[in-house]
């Protein structure tokens, strides 16, 4: 959930990206891409955890492969139906849920969040839903100093401690702002957790159920969901792992159920349906334009993937490998993810990994460089 990864290059507006029609590059040549991608993942064999990797061009997979194991105990290989926790890539689904409610007039993006969550503390400022979506509300992140257990010790995020969603909300609702709203871009998982709570209060449904009814079912994403109960069995679920200093792996999963900032489980077979919706929208009338238009005036600097980017509704909008890109990364416990979409090329790269020594951002970016080169070949 915490990996909001960016980098240093030029800015592009979401409107300009969306104006580019998804036609094929005349010289696109993917004939050698499979071997090149195999080379990127050469170390991720059937003795260790690994990644699922997809390269989508013009609405179809050019590459859809798994490397390594989904489960070490039973030696189950990673395949396209393997279901991963995708961390902060989940934020675009939370933001879409808010956008759908806004389009219907149920949420005012410029209203104070207290209109929907009146039990939040008084921040001393008006804090709007739109500011929370764009990470300019002044809210902090999961700073252990702000979250304290009953015995006075800091709450440990991951799999060490446990709070219910209600207990976590009680802690979050009392957390003060870190800076004044609109004074600084500051990535906030807390803000997106609260956005999930806004969806629940307004819709009368859990975020899991609202997303199932309004996003995943309409798109045919039958294996995708916000997992607000990690004890439920999930068919084809991938286990997360942590590489040990002395060698080998240990299971590294979370026992925490809250969602909004993260919590989506999905696979390659489903994710292409989400990707296609950016070109053939089935969710509301204006939701794609709304959710991919970045907030002007705030530049996200000093990252590694999206250039000197701007932030939209769960999307960084910037430049990658010489092309305009919209995307996000994610990481939580043993999982990491990266989703990069190049609208002018009708090209996307999806990478889901299940070990701390399988960095989706690094590996997926390497695949993206190869895919962009193939899509722009003369």
């Amino acid at each position: 959930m915490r990996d909001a990864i960016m980098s240093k290059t030029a800015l592009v507006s979401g409107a300009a990206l969306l104006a580019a029609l998804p036609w094929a590059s005349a010289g696109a040549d993917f004939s050698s891409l499979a071997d090149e991608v195999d080379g990127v993942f050469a170390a991720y064999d059937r003795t260790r955890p690994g990644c699922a990797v997809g390269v989508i061009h013009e609405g179809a997979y050019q590459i859809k492969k798994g490397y390594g194991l989904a489960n070490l105990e039973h030696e189950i290989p990673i395949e396209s139906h393997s279901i991963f926790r995708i961390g902060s890539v989940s934020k675009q689904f939370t933001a879409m849920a808010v956008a759908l409610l806004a389009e219907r007039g149920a949420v005012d993006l410029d209203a104070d969040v207290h209109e929907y969550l009146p039990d939040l503390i008084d921040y001393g400022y008006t804090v709007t839903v739109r500011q929370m979506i764009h990470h300019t509300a002044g809210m902090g992140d999961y700073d252990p100093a702000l979250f304290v257990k009953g015995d006075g010790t800091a709450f440990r995020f991951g799999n060490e401690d446990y709070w219910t969603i209600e207990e976590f909300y009680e802690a979050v609702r009392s957390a003060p702002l870190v800076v004044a709203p609109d004074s600084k871009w500051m990535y906030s998982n807390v803000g997106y957790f609260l956005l999930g709570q806004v969806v629940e209060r307004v819709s009368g449904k859990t975020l899991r159920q609202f997303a199932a009814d309004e996003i995943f079912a309409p798109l045919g994403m039958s294996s995708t969901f916000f997992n607000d109960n990690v004890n439920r069995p999930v068919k084809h679920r991938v286990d997360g792992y942590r590489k040990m200093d002395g060698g080998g792996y240990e299971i590294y999963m979370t026992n925490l159920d809250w969602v909004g900032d993260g919590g989506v489980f999905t696979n390659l077979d489903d994710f292409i349906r989400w990707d296609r919706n950016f070109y053939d929208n089935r969710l509301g009338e204006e939701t794609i334009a709304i959710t991919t238009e970045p907030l002007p005036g705030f530049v996200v600097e000093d990252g590694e993937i999206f250039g000197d980017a701007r932030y939209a509704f769960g999307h960084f909008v910037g430049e990658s490998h010489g092309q305009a890109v919209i995307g996000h990364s994610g990481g939580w416990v043993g999982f990491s993810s990266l989703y990069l979409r190049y609208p002018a090329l009708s090209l996307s790269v999806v990478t889901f990994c299940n070990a701390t020594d399988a960095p989706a951002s690094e590996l997926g970016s390497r695949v993206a460089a190869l895919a962009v080169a193939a899509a722009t070949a003369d």
Side-chain angles (χ1 to χ4, degrees), residues 182-215:
D182 282 340
S183 64
K184 182 179 180 180
W185 189 90
M186 181 177 292
Y187 190 79
S188 177
N189 283 299
V190 166
Y192 265 75
F193 166 73
L194 290 174
L195 288 171
Q197 295 298 299
V198 169
V199 172
E200 296 194 1
R201 299 283 184 95
V202 172
S203 70
K205 300 179 180 180
T206 64
L207 181 58
R208 177 181 182 135
Q209 192 59 55
F210 183 87
D213 293 343
E214 304 293 342
I215 300 174

PDB file of all heavy atoms in Angstrom, residues 182-215:
ATOM      1  N   ASP A 182      -3.644  21.821   0.873  1.00  0.00           N
ATOM      2  CA  ASP A 182      -3.191  22.506  -0.342  1.00  0.00           C
ATOM      3  C   ASP A 182      -1.856  23.228  -0.179  1.00  0.00           C
ATOM      4  O   ASP A 182      -1.477  24.031  -1.029  1.00  0.00           O
ATOM      5  CB  ASP A 182      -4.247  23.490  -0.857  1.00  0.00           C
ATOM      6  CG  ASP A 182      -5.386  22.787  -1.590  1.00  0.00           C
ATOM      7  OD1 ASP A 182      -5.183  21.636  -2.017  1.00  0.00           O
ATOM      8  OD2 ASP A 182      -6.454  23.394  -1.728  1.00  0.00           O
ATOM      9  N   SER A 183      -1.127  22.933   0.889  1.00  0.00           N
ATOM     10  CA  SER A 183       0.186  23.549   1.057  1.00  0.00           C
ATOM     11  C   SER A 183       1.307  22.672   0.528  1.00  0.00           C
ATOM     12  O   SER A 183       2.412  23.162   0.264  1.00  0.00           O
ATOM     13  CB  SER A 183       0.450  23.849   2.544  1.00  0.00           C
ATOM     14  OG  SER A 183       0.505  22.652   3.306  1.00  0.00           O
ATOM     15  N   LYS A 184       1.013  21.376   0.332  1.00  0.00           N
ATOM     16  CA  LYS A 184       2.058  20.435  -0.072  1.00  0.00           C
ATOM     17  C   LYS A 184       1.408  19.158  -0.577  1.00  0.00           C
ATOM     18  O   LYS A 184       0.377  18.734  -0.065  1.00  0.00           O
ATOM     19  CB  LYS A 184       2.962  20.125   1.130  1.00  0.00           C
ATOM     20  CG  LYS A 184       4.117  19.201   0.844  1.00  0.00           C
ATOM     21  CD  LYS A 184       4.948  18.994   2.112  1.00  0.00           C
ATOM     22  CE  LYS A 184       6.124  18.061   1.848  1.00  0.00           C
ATOM     23  NZ  LYS A 184       6.945  17.850   3.073  1.00  0.00           N
ATOM     24  N   TRP A 185       2.006  18.542  -1.594  1.00  0.00           N
ATOM     25  CA  TRP A 185       1.579  17.197  -2.006  1.00  0.00           C
ATOM     26  C   TRP A 185       2.203  16.207  -1.040  1.00  0.00           C
ATOM     27  O   TRP A 185       3.431  16.182  -0.866  1.00  0.00           O
ATOM     28  CB  TRP A 185       2.025  16.908  -3.435  1.00  0.00           C
ATOM     29  CG  TRP A 185       1.425  15.634  -3.980  1.00  0.00           C
ATOM     30  CD1 TRP A 185       0.247  15.514  -4.659  1.00  0.00           C
ATOM     31  CD2 TRP A 185       1.962  14.310  -3.898  1.00  0.00           C
ATOM     32  NE1 TRP A 185       0.003  14.201  -5.001  1.00  0.00           N
ATOM     33  CE2 TRP A 185       1.052  13.437  -4.532  1.00  0.00           C
ATOM     34  CE3 TRP A 185       3.116  13.771  -3.342  1.00  0.00           C
ATOM     35  CZ2 TRP A 185       1.263  12.072  -4.641  1.00  0.00           C
ATOM     36  CZ3 TRP A 185       3.326  12.393  -3.422  1.00  0.00           C
ATOM     37  CH2 TRP A 185       2.410  11.567  -4.080  1.00  0.00           C
ATOM     38  N   MET A 186       1.378  15.392  -0.399  1.00  0.00           N
ATOM     39  CA  MET A 186       1.877  14.456   0.606  1.00  0.00           C
ATOM     40  C   MET A 186       1.079  13.154   0.512  1.00  0.00           C
ATOM     41  O   MET A 186      -0.105  13.113   0.828  1.00  0.00           O
ATOM     42  CB  MET A 186       1.750  15.057   2.012  1.00  0.00           C
ATOM     43  CG  MET A 186       2.264  14.164   3.115  1.00  0.00           C
ATOM     44  SD  MET A 186       2.174  14.976   4.734  1.00  0.00           S
ATOM     45  CE  MET A 186       3.396  16.265   4.518  1.00  0.00           C
ATOM     46  N   TYR A 187       1.745  12.107   0.049  1.00  0.00           N
ATOM     47  CA  TYR A 187       1.088  10.816  -0.147  1.00  0.00           C
ATOM     48  C   TYR A 187       0.508  10.320   1.173  1.00  0.00           C
ATOM     49  O   TYR A 187       1.188  10.283   2.196  1.00  0.00           O
ATOM     50  CB  TYR A 187       2.099   9.815  -0.690  1.00  0.00           C
ATOM     51  CG  TYR A 187       1.498   8.523  -1.169  1.00  0.00           C
ATOM     52  CD1 TYR A 187       0.874   8.442  -2.412  1.00  0.00           C
ATOM     53  CD2 TYR A 187       1.583   7.369  -0.396  1.00  0.00           C
ATOM     54  CE1 TYR A 187       0.340   7.254  -2.860  1.00  0.00           C
ATOM     55  CE2 TYR A 187       1.046   6.176  -0.841  1.00  0.00           C
ATOM     56  CZ  TYR A 187       0.428   6.119  -2.070  1.00  0.00           C
ATOM     57  OH  TYR A 187      -0.093   4.927  -2.510  1.00  0.00           O
ATOM     58  N   SER A 188      -0.765   9.905   1.146  1.00  0.00           N
ATOM     59  CA  SER A 188      -1.448   9.540   2.386  1.00  0.00           C
ATOM     60  C   SER A 188      -2.311   8.305   2.210  1.00  0.00           C
ATOM     61  O   SER A 188      -3.392   8.356   1.609  1.00  0.00           O
ATOM     62  CB  SER A 188      -2.320  10.705   2.879  1.00  0.00           C
ATOM     63  OG  SER A 188      -3.029  10.327   4.047  1.00  0.00           O
ATOM     64  N   ASN A 189      -1.853   7.191   2.780  1.00  0.00           N
ATOM     65  CA  ASN A 189      -2.698   6.011   2.860  1.00  0.00           C
ATOM     66  C   ASN A 189      -3.886   6.251   3.775  1.00  0.00           C
ATOM     67  O   ASN A 189      -4.978   5.738   3.541  1.00  0.00           O
ATOM     68  CB  ASN A 189      -1.877   4.819   3.367  1.00  0.00           C
ATOM     69  CG  ASN A 189      -0.978   4.238   2.305  1.00  0.00           C
ATOM     70  OD1 ASN A 189      -1.450   3.769   1.276  1.00  0.00           O
ATOM     71  ND2 ASN A 189       0.322   4.275   2.536  1.00  0.00           N
ATOM     72  N   VAL A 190      -3.681   7.051   4.818  1.00  0.00           N
ATOM     73  CA  VAL A 190      -4.773   7.386   5.725  1.00  0.00           C
ATOM     74  C   VAL A 190      -5.926   8.030   4.953  1.00  0.00           C
ATOM     75  O   VAL A 190      -7.101   7.700   5.146  1.00  0.00           O
ATOM     76  CB  VAL A 190      -4.273   8.330   6.839  1.00  0.00           C
ATOM     77  CG1 VAL A 190      -5.444   8.953   7.587  1.00  0.00           C
ATOM     78  CG2 VAL A 190      -3.368   7.573   7.802  1.00  0.00           C
ATOM     79  N   GLY A 191      -5.590   8.971   4.053  1.00  0.00           N
ATOM     80  CA  GLY A 191      -6.623   9.644   3.279  1.00  0.00           C
ATOM     81  C   GLY A 191      -7.434   8.682   2.442  1.00  0.00           C
ATOM     82  O   GLY A 191      -8.673   8.805   2.353  1.00  0.00           O
ATOM     83  N   TYR A 192      -6.780   7.712   1.821  1.00  0.00           N
ATOM     84  CA  TYR A 192      -7.509   6.772   0.970  1.00  0.00           C
ATOM     85  C   TYR A 192      -8.307   5.758   1.783  1.00  0.00           C
ATOM     86  O   TYR A 192      -9.374   5.299   1.346  1.00  0.00           O
ATOM     87  CB  TYR A 192      -6.561   6.103  -0.025  1.00  0.00           C
ATOM     88  CG  TYR A 192      -6.569   6.834  -1.347  1.00  0.00           C
ATOM     89  CD1 TYR A 192      -5.925   8.054  -1.489  1.00  0.00           C
ATOM     90  CD2 TYR A 192      -7.271   6.338  -2.438  1.00  0.00           C
ATOM     91  CE1 TYR A 192      -5.966   8.751  -2.692  1.00  0.00           C
ATOM     92  CE2 TYR A 192      -7.317   7.020  -3.646  1.00  0.00           C
ATOM     93  CZ  TYR A 192      -6.665   8.226  -3.759  1.00  0.00           C
ATOM     94  OH  TYR A 192      -6.726   8.916  -4.952  1.00  0.00           O
ATOM     95  N   PHE A 193      -7.825   5.387   2.959  1.00  0.00           N
ATOM     96  CA  PHE A 193      -8.663   4.576   3.837  1.00  0.00           C
ATOM     97  C   PHE A 193      -9.951   5.327   4.163  1.00  0.00           C
ATOM     98  O   PHE A 193     -11.053   4.764   4.115  1.00  0.00           O
ATOM     99  CB  PHE A 193      -7.914   4.222   5.123  1.00  0.00           C
ATOM    100  CG  PHE A 193      -8.810   3.684   6.202  1.00  0.00           C
ATOM    101  CD1 PHE A 193      -9.342   2.411   6.110  1.00  0.00           C
ATOM    102  CD2 PHE A 193      -9.161   4.471   7.298  1.00  0.00           C
ATOM    103  CE1 PHE A 193     -10.200   1.913   7.097  1.00  0.00           C
ATOM    104  CE2 PHE A 193     -10.006   3.993   8.289  1.00  0.00           C
ATOM    105  CZ  PHE A 193     -10.527   2.709   8.186  1.00  0.00           C
ATOM    106  N   LEU A 194      -9.824   6.619   4.481  1.00  0.00           N
ATOM    107  CA  LEU A 194     -11.011   7.419   4.801  1.00  0.00           C
ATOM    108  C   LEU A 194     -11.922   7.583   3.590  1.00  0.00           C
ATOM    109  O   LEU A 194     -13.151   7.623   3.734  1.00  0.00           O
ATOM    110  CB  LEU A 194     -10.596   8.778   5.353  1.00  0.00           C
ATOM    111  CG  LEU A 194      -9.973   8.761   6.751  1.00  0.00           C
ATOM    112  CD1 LEU A 194      -9.477  10.140   7.139  1.00  0.00           C
ATOM    113  CD2 LEU A 194     -10.969   8.235   7.794  1.00  0.00           C
ATOM    114  N   LEU A 195     -11.353   7.665   2.387  1.00  0.00           N
ATOM    115  CA  LEU A 195     -12.194   7.713   1.182  1.00  0.00           C
ATOM    116  C   LEU A 195     -13.025   6.444   1.056  1.00  0.00           C
ATOM    117  O   LEU A 195     -14.199   6.487   0.651  1.00  0.00           O
ATOM    118  CB  LEU A 195     -11.323   7.904  -0.056  1.00  0.00           C
ATOM    119  CG  LEU A 195     -10.709   9.293  -0.235  1.00  0.00           C
ATOM    120  CD1 LEU A 195      -9.694   9.279  -1.370  1.00  0.00           C
ATOM    121  CD2 LEU A 195     -11.778  10.352  -0.496  1.00  0.00           C
ATOM    122  N   GLY A 196     -12.443   5.306   1.395  1.00  0.00           N
ATOM    123  CA  GLY A 196     -13.223   4.065   1.408  1.00  0.00           C
ATOM    124  C   GLY A 196     -14.368   4.136   2.387  1.00  0.00           C
ATOM    125  O   GLY A 196     -15.477   3.632   2.124  1.00  0.00           O
ATOM    126  N   GLN A 197     -14.130   4.792   3.530  1.00  0.00           N
ATOM    127  CA  GLN A 197     -15.193   4.967   4.512  1.00  0.00           C
ATOM    128  C   GLN A 197     -16.278   5.914   4.003  1.00  0.00           C
ATOM    129  O   GLN A 197     -17.464   5.726   4.287  1.00  0.00           O
ATOM    130  CB  GLN A 197     -14.602   5.482   5.819  1.00  0.00           C
ATOM    131  CG  GLN A 197     -13.658   4.511   6.504  1.00  0.00           C
ATOM    132  CD  GLN A 197     -14.350   3.223   6.910  1.00  0.00           C
ATOM    133  OE1 GLN A 197     -15.291   3.234   7.710  1.00  0.00           O
ATOM    134  NE2 GLN A 197     -13.902   2.122   6.353  1.00  0.00           N
ATOM    135  N   VAL A 198     -15.891   6.934   3.225  1.00  0.00           N
ATOM    136  CA  VAL A 198     -16.873   7.823   2.609  1.00  0.00           C
ATOM    137  C   VAL A 198     -17.789   7.023   1.687  1.00  0.00           C
ATOM    138  O   VAL A 198     -19.027   7.175   1.716  1.00  0.00           O
ATOM    139  CB  VAL A 198     -16.181   8.963   1.828  1.00  0.00           C
ATOM    140  CG1 VAL A 198     -17.199   9.718   0.967  1.00  0.00           C
ATOM    141  CG2 VAL A 198     -15.478   9.913   2.779  1.00  0.00           C
ATOM    142  N   VAL A 199     -17.205   6.154   0.863  1.00  0.00           N
ATOM    143  CA  VAL A 199     -18.006   5.311  -0.038  1.00  0.00           C
ATOM    144  C   VAL A 199     -18.997   4.487   0.768  1.00  0.00           C
ATOM    145  O   VAL A 199     -20.182   4.370   0.403  1.00  0.00           O
ATOM    146  CB  VAL A 199     -17.096   4.404  -0.885  1.00  0.00           C
ATOM    147  CG1 VAL A 199     -17.925   3.384  -1.676  1.00  0.00           C
ATOM    148  CG2 VAL A 199     -16.234   5.238  -1.829  1.00  0.00           C
ATOM    149  N   GLU A 200     -18.550   3.931   1.882  1.00  0.00           N
ATOM    150  CA  GLU A 200     -19.423   3.080   2.682  1.00  0.00           C
ATOM    151  C   GLU A 200     -20.557   3.879   3.322  1.00  0.00           C
ATOM    152  O   GLU A 200     -21.720   3.439   3.303  1.00  0.00           O
ATOM    153  CB  GLU A 200     -18.602   2.352   3.742  1.00  0.00           C
ATOM    154  CG  GLU A 200     -17.583   1.388   3.130  1.00  0.00           C
ATOM    155  CD  GLU A 200     -16.996   0.402   4.124  1.00  0.00           C
ATOM    156  OE1 GLU A 200     -17.387   0.438   5.317  1.00  0.00           O
ATOM    157  OE2 GLU A 200     -16.163  -0.423   3.703  1.00  0.00           O
ATOM    158  N   ARG A 201     -20.253   5.047   3.877  1.00  0.00           N
ATOM    159  CA  ARG A 201     -21.297   5.848   4.535  1.00  0.00           C
ATOM    160  C   ARG A 201     -22.330   6.342   3.519  1.00  0.00           C
ATOM    161  O   ARG A 201     -23.529   6.353   3.802  1.00  0.00           O
ATOM    162  CB  ARG A 201     -20.668   7.050   5.236  1.00  0.00           C
ATOM    163  CG  ARG A 201     -19.677   6.703   6.335  1.00  0.00           C
ATOM    164  CD  ARG A 201     -20.328   6.264   7.632  1.00  0.00           C
ATOM    165  NE  ARG A 201     -19.295   6.049   8.656  1.00  0.00           N
ATOM    166  CZ  ARG A 201     -18.927   6.952   9.551  1.00  0.00           C
ATOM    167  NH1 ARG A 201     -19.511   8.141   9.569  1.00  0.00           N
ATOM    168  NH2 ARG A 201     -17.982   6.674  10.441  1.00  0.00           N
ATOM    169  N   VAL A 202     -21.876   6.755   2.344  1.00  0.00           N
ATOM    170  CA  VAL A 202     -22.789   7.322   1.346  1.00  0.00           C
ATOM    171  C   VAL A 202     -23.615   6.240   0.667  1.00  0.00           C
ATOM    172  O   VAL A 202     -24.829   6.413   0.454  1.00  0.00           O
ATOM    173  CB  VAL A 202     -21.992   8.124   0.292  1.00  0.00           C
ATOM    174  CG1 VAL A 202     -22.895   8.549  -0.865  1.00  0.00           C
ATOM    175  CG2 VAL A 202     -21.342   9.342   0.933  1.00  0.00           C
ATOM    176  N   SER A 203     -22.991   5.123   0.319  1.00  0.00           N
ATOM    177  CA  SER A 203     -23.680   4.079  -0.458  1.00  0.00           C
ATOM    178  C   SER A 203     -24.478   3.120   0.409  1.00  0.00           C
ATOM    179  O   SER A 203     -25.407   2.454  -0.072  1.00  0.00           O
ATOM    180  CB  SER A 203     -22.670   3.281  -1.276  1.00  0.00           C
ATOM    181  OG  SER A 203     -21.861   2.465  -0.430  1.00  0.00           O
ATOM    182  N   GLY A 204     -24.116   3.020   1.684  1.00  0.00           N
ATOM    183  CA  GLY A 204     -24.758   2.040   2.548  1.00  0.00           C
ATOM    184  C   GLY A 204     -24.245   0.634   2.342  1.00  0.00           C
ATOM    185  O   GLY A 204     -24.798  -0.327   2.886  1.00  0.00           O
ATOM    186  N   LYS A 205     -23.180   0.502   1.558  1.00  0.00           N
ATOM    187  CA  LYS A 205     -22.560  -0.796   1.302  1.00  0.00           C
ATOM    188  C   LYS A 205     -21.102  -0.747   1.745  1.00  0.00           C
ATOM    189  O   LYS A 205     -20.509   0.325   1.819  1.00  0.00           O
ATOM    190  CB  LYS A 205     -22.589  -1.129  -0.200  1.00  0.00           C
ATOM    191  CG  LYS A 205     -23.967  -1.208  -0.814  1.00  0.00           C
ATOM    192  CD  LYS A 205     -23.855  -1.528  -2.309  1.00  0.00           C
ATOM    193  CE  LYS A 205     -25.214  -1.628  -2.968  1.00  0.00           C
ATOM    194  NZ  LYS A 205     -25.088  -1.946  -4.423  1.00  0.00           N
ATOM    195  N   THR A 206     -20.531  -1.906   2.027  1.00  0.00           N
ATOM    196  CA  THR A 206     -19.092  -1.940   2.242  1.00  0.00           C
ATOM    197  C   THR A 206     -18.388  -1.581   0.939  1.00  0.00           C
ATOM    198  O   THR A 206     -18.970  -1.699  -0.154  1.00  0.00           O
ATOM    199  CB  THR A 206     -18.616  -3.327   2.685  1.00  0.00           C
ATOM    200  OG1 THR A 206     -18.861  -4.275   1.624  1.00  0.00           O
ATOM    201  CG2 THR A 206     -19.332  -3.777   3.959  1.00  0.00           C
ATOM    202  N   LEU A 207     -17.147  -1.126   1.031  1.00  0.00           N
ATOM    203  CA  LEU A 207     -16.386  -0.837  -0.182  1.00  0.00           C
ATOM    204  C   LEU A 207     -16.263  -2.085  -1.034  1.00  0.00           C
ATOM    205  O   LEU A 207     -16.341  -2.021  -2.271  1.00  0.00           O
ATOM    206  CB  LEU A 207     -15.005  -0.295   0.188  1.00  0.00           C
ATOM    207  CG  LEU A 207     -14.091   0.087  -0.983  1.00  0.00           C
ATOM    208  CD1 LEU A 207     -14.727   1.141  -1.877  1.00  0.00           C
ATOM    209  CD2 LEU A 207     -12.740   0.565  -0.457  1.00  0.00           C
ATOM    210  N   ARG A 208     -16.100  -3.227  -0.399  1.00  0.00           N
ATOM    211  CA  ARG A 208     -16.025  -4.489  -1.138  1.00  0.00           C
ATOM    212  C   ARG A 208     -17.288  -4.701  -1.964  1.00  0.00           C
ATOM    213  O   ARG A 208     -17.210  -5.009  -3.158  1.00  0.00           O
ATOM    214  CB  ARG A 208     -15.821  -5.651  -0.169  1.00  0.00           C
ATOM    215  CG  ARG A 208     -15.813  -7.030  -0.851  1.00  0.00           C
ATOM    216  CD  ARG A 208     -15.627  -8.161   0.141  1.00  0.00           C
ATOM    217  NE  ARG A 208     -15.568  -9.454  -0.534  1.00  0.00           N
ATOM    218  CZ  ARG A 208     -14.683 -10.406  -0.260  1.00  0.00           C
ATOM    219  NH1 ARG A 208     -13.773 -10.213   0.667  1.00  0.00           N
ATOM    220  NH2 ARG A 208     -14.700 -11.552  -0.923  1.00  0.00           N
ATOM    221  N   GLN A 209     -18.458  -4.513  -1.351  1.00  0.00           N
ATOM    222  CA  GLN A 209     -19.703  -4.777  -2.064  1.00  0.00           C
ATOM    223  C   GLN A 209     -19.985  -3.713  -3.113  1.00  0.00           C
ATOM    224  O   GLN A 209     -20.443  -4.024  -4.220  1.00  0.00           O
ATOM    225  CB  GLN A 209     -20.872  -4.852  -1.078  1.00  0.00           C
ATOM    226  CG  GLN A 209     -22.150  -5.397  -1.709  1.00  0.00           C
ATOM    227  CD  GLN A 209     -21.974  -6.796  -2.273  1.00  0.00           C
ATOM    228  OE1 GLN A 209     -21.552  -7.707  -1.557  1.00  0.00           O
ATOM    229  NE2 GLN A 209     -22.273  -6.980  -3.563  1.00  0.00           N
ATOM    230  N   PHE A 210     -19.724  -2.443  -2.782  1.00  0.00           N
ATOM    231  CA  PHE A 210     -19.962  -1.386  -3.766  1.00  0.00           C
ATOM    232  C   PHE A 210     -19.094  -1.603  -4.999  1.00  0.00           C
ATOM    233  O   PHE A 210     -19.588  -1.502  -6.137  1.00  0.00           O
ATOM    234  CB  PHE A 210     -19.670  -0.018  -3.153  1.00  0.00           C
ATOM    235  CG  PHE A 210     -19.957   1.121  -4.100  1.00  0.00           C
ATOM    236  CD1 PHE A 210     -21.231   1.664  -4.184  1.00  0.00           C
ATOM    237  CD2 PHE A 210     -18.960   1.641  -4.921  1.00  0.00           C
ATOM    238  CE1 PHE A 210     -21.513   2.701  -5.072  1.00  0.00           C
ATOM    239  CE2 PHE A 210     -19.215   2.682  -5.804  1.00  0.00           C
ATOM    240  CZ  PHE A 210     -20.501   3.210  -5.881  1.00  0.00           C
ATOM    241  N   ALA A 211     -17.811  -1.889  -4.807  1.00  0.00           N
ATOM    242  CA  ALA A 211     -16.930  -2.111  -5.955  1.00  0.00           C
ATOM    243  C   ALA A 211     -17.347  -3.344  -6.739  1.00  0.00           C
ATOM    244  O   ALA A 211     -17.283  -3.359  -7.982  1.00  0.00           O
ATOM    245  CB  ALA A 211     -15.489  -2.245  -5.478  1.00  0.00           C
ATOM    246  N   ALA A 212     -17.791  -4.378  -6.040  1.00  0.00           N
ATOM    247  CA  ALA A 212     -18.261  -5.578  -6.732  1.00  0.00           C
ATOM    248  C   ALA A 212     -19.453  -5.268  -7.621  1.00  0.00           C
ATOM    249  O   ALA A 212     -19.518  -5.701  -8.787  1.00  0.00           O
ATOM    250  CB  ALA A 212     -18.615  -6.665  -5.720  1.00  0.00           C
ATOM    251  N   ASP A 213     -20.406  -4.498  -7.090  1.00  0.00           N
ATOM    252  CA  ASP A 213     -21.633  -4.207  -7.827  1.00  0.00           C
ATOM    253  C   ASP A 213     -21.428  -3.188  -8.946  1.00  0.00           C
ATOM    254  O   ASP A 213     -22.029  -3.311 -10.021  1.00  0.00           O
ATOM    255  CB  ASP A 213     -22.696  -3.662  -6.867  1.00  0.00           C
ATOM    256  CG  ASP A 213     -23.176  -4.693  -5.863  1.00  0.00           C
ATOM    257  OD1 ASP A 213     -22.944  -5.893  -6.081  1.00  0.00           O
ATOM    258  OD2 ASP A 213     -23.765  -4.283  -4.841  1.00  0.00           O
ATOM    259  N   GLU A 214     -20.590  -2.179  -8.690  1.00  0.00           N
ATOM    260  CA  GLU A 214     -20.522  -1.021  -9.588  1.00  0.00           C
ATOM    261  C   GLU A 214     -19.283  -0.988 -10.475  1.00  0.00           C
ATOM    262  O   GLU A 214     -19.246  -0.235 -11.445  1.00  0.00           O
ATOM    263  CB  GLU A 214     -20.581   0.265  -8.759  1.00  0.00           C
ATOM    264  CG  GLU A 214     -21.785   0.383  -7.848  1.00  0.00           C
ATOM    265  CD  GLU A 214     -23.089   0.517  -8.617  1.00  0.00           C
ATOM    266  OE1 GLU A 214     -23.054   0.855  -9.820  1.00  0.00           O
ATOM    267  OE2 GLU A 214     -24.158   0.296  -8.019  1.00  0.00           O
ATOM    268  N   ILE A 215     -18.262  -1.772 -10.156  1.00  0.00           N
ATOM    269  CA  ILE A 215     -17.033  -1.760 -10.953  1.00  0.00           C
ATOM    270  C   ILE A 215     -16.712  -3.147 -11.493  1.00  0.00           C
ATOM    271  O   ILE A 215     -16.664  -3.360 -12.710  1.00  0.00           O
ATOM    272  CB  ILE A 215     -15.840  -1.223 -10.119  1.00  0.00           C
ATOM    273  CG1 ILE A 215     -16.120   0.203  -9.632  1.00  0.00           C
ATOM    274  CG2 ILE A 215     -14.544  -1.275 -10.944  1.00  0.00           C
ATOM    275  CD1 ILE A 215     -15.066   0.747  -8.679  1.00  0.00           C
TER     276      ILE A 215
END
